[in-house]
Amino acid sequence: MSQKNFTNELGNAITVEVSAKEIEGVPGVLLYIEGPTSLTENHITRKEAEVIYEALGNLLHS
């Protein structure tokens, strides 16, 4: 598991956790993001994680 605690651009304390977790026998990723007024958890396949990773890279590097 990888965990990162930081303060975002709005001054809010944020926790992000990423860990490997299989889905129905295939590699998967569990994403957890918590802020002062929200909490989200998404369990996605590795391929989905790769597509999101690529899309974020394209957006942030443009």
Side-chain angles (χ1 to χ4, degrees):
M1 177 181 68
S2 175
Q3 180 176 327
K4 179 83 175 182
N5 298 301
F6 63 97
T7 302
N8 71 8
E9 300 89 337
L10 300 173
N12 297 322
I14 305 295
T15 298
V16 174
E17 294 178 8
V18 180
S19 57
K21 184 174 182 185
E22 285 189 357
I23 299 176
E24 298 179 20
V26 299
V29 175
L30 183 61
L31 303 170
Y32 173 90
I33 304 169
E34 181 179 355
T37 61
S38 64
L39 169 69
T40 186
E41 187 173 85
N42 289 290
H43 191 192
I44 60 176
T45 67
R46 180 179 173 92
K47 182 63 177 178
E48 292 166 340
E50 291 171 356
V51 170
I52 292 168
Y53 178 80
E54 181 181 356
L56 284 171
N58 290 339
L59 176 68
L60 295 174
H61 291 80
S62 64

